[in-house]
Amino acid sequence: MSNLTITQIEEKLCAIIADVKRIASNDVSLNANDDFINKYHLTSMDAVSLSVRISEDFGFGFGQEAEDIDGLASFGSLTQLIQKRVA
């Protein structure tokens, strides 16, 4: 899963968020500074599902490191964290 571009990670994350929220993928539109948790009203159960899907789809245990919490601050911080981990 290495060598993913930020764009590829963003597209995959948007698809994951859409799946977790049970909405169409093209209904998810995020910019780097967006607070995606509030924008898409992710509940605590949604956040758990998101964490599991990130772990499965990107191949690392998301939610196991202290910096993972910082990755939830914005869509951009999450994509950068994923890019760092899959490299």
Side-chain angles (χ1 to χ4, degrees):
M1 183 74 47
S2 62
N3 299 322
L4 289 174
T5 66
I6 287 290
T7 301
Q8 290 169 317
I9 294 168
E10 288 173 345
E11 289 171 358
K12 192 165 193 74
L13 278 174
C14 285
I16 291 170
I17 291 168
D19 190 46
V20 166
K21 292 306 293 182
R22 300 180 197 272
I23 58 176
S25 291
N26 58 349
D27 288 341
V28 176
S29 176
L30 290 161
N31 296 312
N33 293 327
D34 285 345
D35 177 353
F36 65 96
I37 292 175
N38 285 324
K39 184 173 182 175
Y40 289 100
H41 310 288
L42 270 67
T43 65
S44 57
M45 289 304 295
D46 292 336
V48 170
S49 295
L50 179 69
S51 177
V52 170
R53 286 292 305 278
I54 289 171
S55 296
E56 291 173 350
D57 291 13
F58 291 103
F60 66 91
F62 182 79
Q64 299 176 359
E65 302 291 330
E67 71 181 343
D68 294 352
I69 297 299
D70 295 335
L72 298 176
S74 70
F75 187 64
S77 61
L78 184 56
T79 57
Q80 290 174 359
L81 175 66
I82 291 171
Q83 187 178 47
K84 174 183 165 185
R85 293 270 181 86
V86 297

